Amino acid sequence: MAARNINFDMDLHHMEIKKAPSLHLTVTASISFRSKKIDLICVTFPSLACALGPLAVREVVLTLDLDCSSNAFWISGLTTVALRVSLPNLLGLDCADIAPWPVSVVAIVDQQTSGSLDQGHGALELEDLSDERRDHVTYLAAPSWAEHGQQRGQDLEVAMVNDPLIDERWSSATLRVLSSMPSRTIGRSRGAIISQYYNRTMQLCRRRQTRPTIRDFSRSARPSIRGYGVESDCGDGSEEERKKDQLVNNLQKLSISDRVRMLRAMPLSVAEKSDLRKRAYNYKEGRPVSSSQMSCCSRLKYYIIIALRQSWYSWLSFLHSLQLWQVPLKRVSGRFGTGVLSYFLFLKILLFFNIFLFLINGFFLVLPQAIHRPPPANLSQKFTGLELLTGGGSFTDTVMFYGHYSHRTLTSGCRHSDNASVPTDQPGCPPRLSFNMPLAYFFTIGVSFFITCIILVYSMSKSFGKSFRINKSQGYLAVKVFSSWDFKVIKRTSVRLQSENICTQLKDLETRVLETRDLETRDLETGQRLLEQQASLLALPVVVSSLNLLMPGLFNAVGWMEVYDSPSIRTYVAIFRNLLLKVSMLGVLCYHWLGRVAADPGKLLLQAGKQWMLELKTANPNLTWLTWIHTTMVENPLFLFISAGIFLMVIYFHTQVVDGQRKVISLLQEQIENKYPWRPPGGSTASGNPILYLSVSGEKLEALHEPISREGRCTRMQGCSITKGRSAALTQGHHSFITFKRRYWGHVESFTSHRSTMRASGKKAFKLRGETNGSERIFYFNQSQCRAGTVGELKMEDREQEVNFKKETVGKLLSLFFRDEKSRVSSDAATLMTEMLKVFVQEAARRAAKQAETEDNHTVKSDPNGQL
Amino acid sequence: MVVYEQIPILSSKTRCSEQGGLILISLLSAHKRFMELLAKEDRSSRSTRVTMDKILTMPELKSNPFRKRICNVFSTSELKDGSLTFEDFLDLLSAFSDSATLEIKSHYAFRIFDFDDDGTLDRGDLENLVNCLTGETDDTRLTPEEMRQLISNILEESDIDKDGTVNLSEFQHVISRSPDFVSSFKIVL
């Protein structure tokens, strides 16, 4: 195959070192390929440390400006490599020392090499490191590139600059390289999508297998990047065709439902999909016979369904429009945000409660009373006009006043008698349906309040459950911006409202992020006056109402003069002031009315109740249980005492439980933080290192089992697979953002190494538990199977561990890069490499920490719909 | 009747039932809508394109601030003029339909928000996006300072690899945290 014949040569063009003020090293090299079809190159500096070995190097800090912390990176469609390396403490280094550095270049033959990076198809897979890979991948270890004479205009440039360890400003060249990383190109090209789904289908196929190893598959079915490279000499068009063929091939392996689901999930155009599907059918069982025409009947059916559906939609929208104050509420939320909206929603709910009370009261109290009117007491009251305002006078004798209600039993059986309100035990009239007004009064009010209470508690618990979050994120700006636009909104006014709403919310969120000032409150003063006689009754309401009316205006005027950062704060302050006004007014009113009540003899109420109970007992023997309850519960102070005690105890315990839960939560959080501490970028508070990940190029799998530590705290790397030319994962906390087989961007819940197994059998194995899409999968890797992208985890452990990667391991690793067996790694080189690894790890830690900061939750979901 | 012959992908029922997110009923109504946009004489031809201006007269898209982007993303036209064939139109409706998965929706949302079509959401894209969201009027538009702050906050939150742009993976990651994205990324005919 053409791919196997690929050769490429590289040459060191240029290298320069500037020493002052810090060390700058620029290496320019050129690579040339015989085939043009290479668009994926991996450049590694595996033996950098080795070359530096003879030098007395104490510490090397090396930072690579790459997406993943590794000494390998990927270039797509471009052969200019930019690498920034920071070597602050390289003492006494000069050109001659650096020149013999081996640089190994791995080119993967595949991918459409379509011109510039910006259009490059980034469908490269970071997975499948099966042995057969070298069929199509040419590794070039060029320890002495000067020997190669061929140069063909493609430069490899290695620029080494002394940079601070964390430098987030990338050079433009690096940015270009970064922009060609697979994660960034996947959204752009159709070819990328196809190959992505090709891999997905592979995963589906794999999932059915009992043993999830790649060896179970025929070579053609393996999801490897080089699979595409087979016919790499063909043109671009056929390249994509071939990709498609493979996808179709995979689709055929799936069951029909899986196939349909897979096709549906592809973000491709209809034409593409139907082509794919047609081919998938054609290949396998042959195209199902297509019925050319639909019958007239079915057509009619579809039209009827359409009509029904449309009428259903219009009915729904009609129902929706029936909701009370829908438009004004939307306007409010548009102008002032959801915070203010909730106030109005609260008012609306209050109104609904009042309507509910009104209905119940009206039905059970007012209606019976209105039907059985008691004889009017005195009609001789003069109508003065003031009654309209005070509600006194003749109005006291209407159903609008409680005083009007009789405390008698109304019977429906005696409709013929005029005096329906006289006691029911009238002779000759069987009391079939009696209605005891006082009881009705008692129960109606009680039941209605009880129902209200239950509704309130229910809705509160529901909203609490919805809004409860342990970790409060500082903002959801990104979520807001990316997903807040409702594409269903089509009316022009609604669109404007939505814009307004989003604008308000954005400003609001931003000011919240930016730490707003505390609001100042001002004291309110209210005054009161008294007038005489009937007008005095009016005075208080007048004052209260006018205050209610005028003060908000005053507050608004005050609010205009003050300067607030965001519009929502202004409204909050206004609401707060108004609430304060209402509360103080209520206080004054309560004081006033309670003062009047206190003037009356106090015990009257209890005595009246007792007397009424006695009357009830004699009047209606059926209700003796009520009197019993009254005597035992109300009159006996012991019961009241005990019940009050129990009530208090329940409240106390409840608060204790809630408090305890809160404490437990905070303890857990603390524990989590202690277990997986991470350092905020630039901050200094968090101690220790995060879990992190390491990936090193190597020819074979190696597991690192080395502790490293920083600043006195020990971290322990539990397992790290090292695979050739692969760089993959980023791990944070007990979750990781990981790329391994089949470009699976998932997160890893836990990552435990089977150390016992390793020790027992001498094998290097570890377990990886990942979770995607709710389903948990466990991956076991051992030495032979572990072709995954490298994943590692560092776990905090005690101080007793020492702080180094094992030198032997590193040495072994390095020696993997040597072609000839005789090359040896000097101990200094191993030390250097060890230090470099440490730096890599630190860099990865920083990024992981950064990611942790942005994630801000426990389960990091990066690919919610992704199929494993 | 004529309708079924005109709908290119509608040669059999089974095929239609498999089309992403669109079932036959929706297909028919979509076709009806599409034909309304076409001039009379063009209706016979299958691959006729409807110009972007025509598409934008649809009430569903008329007031949408992303209308032009939507047309451009779904258009397969060589001229990049945002004109849609019927199949493109179906793609559009399919992506915005109920049954499209979060992945499809987020994919297209990303492309819609990627104003310069470079595969990532950089600062310019984000600024355009925020401007579209807040509307064009002066009182809702953010000041440059606010905009700068907002964009850096967004990047702070969502840009995991710190390259100054938001790529598709990061975008989908953000989207996955929003429960109501799927329900809001919808267009109902």
Side-chain angles (χ1 to χ4, degrees), chain B residues 63-117:
Chain B
S63 322
N64 196 320
F66 299 103
R67 52 189 180 271
K68 287 195 177 144
R69 281 302 303 158
I70 292 175
C71 282
N72 280 326
V73 163
F74 287 98
S75 168
T76 52
S77 164
E78 306 279 320
L79 303 169
K80 309 255 180 232
D81 57 352
S83 60
L84 300 183
T85 63
F86 178 60
E87 290 193 354
D88 300 339
F89 188 65
L90 282 187
D91 283 335
L92 191 156
L93 293 182
S94 170
F96 281 102
S97 73
D98 283 327
S99 45
T101 59
L102 174 67
E103 170 142 18
I104 290 188
K105 281 178 186 289
S106 55
H107 176 94
Y108 281 111
F110 181 79
R111 287 178 57 187
I112 288 171
F113 295 158
D114 183 15
F115 284 81
D116 50 6
D117 278 323

Side-chain angles (χ1 to χ4, degrees), chain B residues 97-146:
Chain B
S97 73
D98 283 327
S99 45
T101 59
L102 174 67
E103 170 142 18
I104 290 188
K105 281 178 186 289
S106 55
H107 176 94
Y108 281 111
F110 181 79
R111 287 178 57 187
I112 288 171
F113 295 158
D114 183 15
F115 284 81
D116 50 6
D117 278 323
D118 67 346
T120 60
L121 302 184
D122 49 22
R123 280 181 165 265
D125 290 329
L126 290 176
E127 188 171 339
N128 273 330
L129 170 58
V130 173
N131 275 338
C132 278
L133 287 177
T134 56
E136 299 300 314
T137 52
D138 284 338
D139 52 334
T140 55
R141 192 182 270 278
L142 300 180
T143 62
E145 176 57 26
E146 279 172 329

Side-chain angles (χ1 to χ4, degrees), chain A residues 570-868:
Chain A
R570 188 196 301 277
T571 40
Y572 284 141
V573 172
I575 286 179
F576 181 73
R577 281 177 175 144
N578 282 313
L579 278 182
L580 213 61
L581 172 72
K582 299 275 146 84
V583 168
S584 57
M585 228 167 256
L586 206 65
V588 170
L589 280 179
C590 281
Y591 177 76
H592 179 78
W593 287 112
L594 285 178
R596 288 185 69 163
V597 170
D600 298 336
K603 214 144 155 59
L604 218 76
L605 209 69
L606 257 181
Q607 280 173 352
K610 200 170 170 183
Q611 203 177 356
W612 176 66
M613 276 298 160
L614 286 176
E615 276 174 25
L616 195 71
K617 197 174 178 180
T618 52
N620 198 341
N622 291 336
L623 292 171
T624 43
W625 55 272
L626 204 70
T627 53
W628 179 82
I629 287 174
H630 182 258
T631 48
T632 51
M633 293 192 173
V634 181
E635 290 178 13
N636 196 345
L638 187 70
F639 178 78
L640 273 180
F641 183 71
I642 289 174
S643 60
I646 289 173
F647 191 60
L648 283 178
M649 265 156 68
V650 166
I651 290 178
Y652 176 75
F653 277 119
H654 185 253
T655 50
Q656 286 299 305
V657 165
V658 169
D659 223 37
Q661 281 173 341
R662 222 170 270 160
K663 262 183 199 160
V664 166
I665 287 173
S666 67
L667 275 178
L668 281 176
Q669 273 179 313
E670 205 175 299
Q671 201 183 347
I672 289 168
E673 266 167 31
N674 281 340
K675 203 171 177 190
Y676 307 107
W678 53 275
R679 172 186 308 277
S684 58
T685 49
S687 55
N689 281 334
I691 310 307
L692 43 84
Y693 131 86
L694 176 69
S695 134
V696 182
S697 288
E699 194 135 2
K700 282 180 200 159
L701 166 82
E702 258 296 47
L704 274 187
H705 192 69
E706 306 284 332
I708 26 169
S709 99
R710 249 178 99 211
E711 295 183 6
R713 301 195 71 157
C714 275
T715 47
R716 180 165 183 77
M717 166 156 274
Q718 288 210 323
C720 178
S721 69
I722 298 178
T723 50
K724 176 138 194 169
R726 291 283 142 162
S727 64
L730 202 61
T731 315
Q732 178 268 318
H734 48 306
H735 326 285
S736 55
F737 198 62
I738 150 173
T739 314
F740 58 116
K741 289 191 183 180
R742 325 221 177 294
R743 187 177 317 151
Y744 153 56
W745 289 80
H747 53 282
V748 177
E749 284 281 297
S750 79
F751 178 58
T752 48
S753 99
H754 275 218
R755 276 201 280 157
S756 51
T757 334
M758 287 186 206
R759 278 187 192 145
S761 62
K763 267 186 177 176
K764 273 119 186 165
F766 58 88
K767 183 175 85 171
L768 185 67
R769 194 160 67 86
E771 194 211 351
T772 355
N773 221 3
S775 65
E776 183 189 288
R777 306 195 67 198
I778 297 179
F779 301 91
Y780 288 93
F781 296 108
N782 59 37
Q783 202 163 13
S784 61
Q785 282 177 327
C786 194
R787 297 179 212 92
T790 54
V791 183
E793 181 189 14
L794 292 184
K795 194 174 144 198
M796 290 301 298
E797 279 193 7
D798 300 325
R799 264 175 177 274
E800 76 252 8
Q801 301 282 350
E802 229 346 285
V803 197
N804 281 313
F805 286 93
K806 259 187 205 148
K807 257 205 219 166
E808 303 89 68
T809 320
V810 175
K812 222 193 284 176
L813 258 176
L814 290 175
S815 60
L816 290 175
F817 280 82
F818 299 147
R819 273 285 155 86
D820 49 344
E821 299 296 317
K822 287 171 196 162
S823 298
R824 287 272 166 264
V825 184
S826 78
S827 72
D828 280 341
T831 319
L832 175 64
M833 194 62 196
T834 310
E835 293 300 309
M836 274 164 54
L837 285 177
K838 214 165 99 180
V839 172
F840 285 144
V841 161
Q842 285 167 0
E843 175 65 15
R846 272 169 221 283
R847 291 170 195 212
K850 200 73 187 164
Q851 190 201 351
E853 196 189 32
T854 50
E855 307 286 44
D856 201 32
N857 49 16
H858 283 268
T859 27
V860 179
K861 279 220 156 200
S862 59
D863 187 5
N865 259 14
Q867 313 212 13
L868 195 64

Side-chain angles (χ1 to χ4, degrees), chain A residues 551-578:
Chain A
M551 289 303 275
L554 188 72
F555 291 152
N556 274 352
V558 172
W560 276 117
M561 288 192 278
E562 294 158 345
V563 183
Y564 292 109
D565 291 345
S566 89
S568 62
I569 289 184
R570 188 196 301 277
T571 40
Y572 284 141
V573 172
I575 286 179
F576 181 73
R577 281 177 175 144
N578 282 313

Side-chain angles (χ1 to χ4, degrees), chain A residues 114-115 150 232 321 325 452 487 694 707:
Chain A
S114 53
Q150 288 187 5
S232 56
S321 66
W325 297 307
T452 319
F487 285 79
L694 176 69

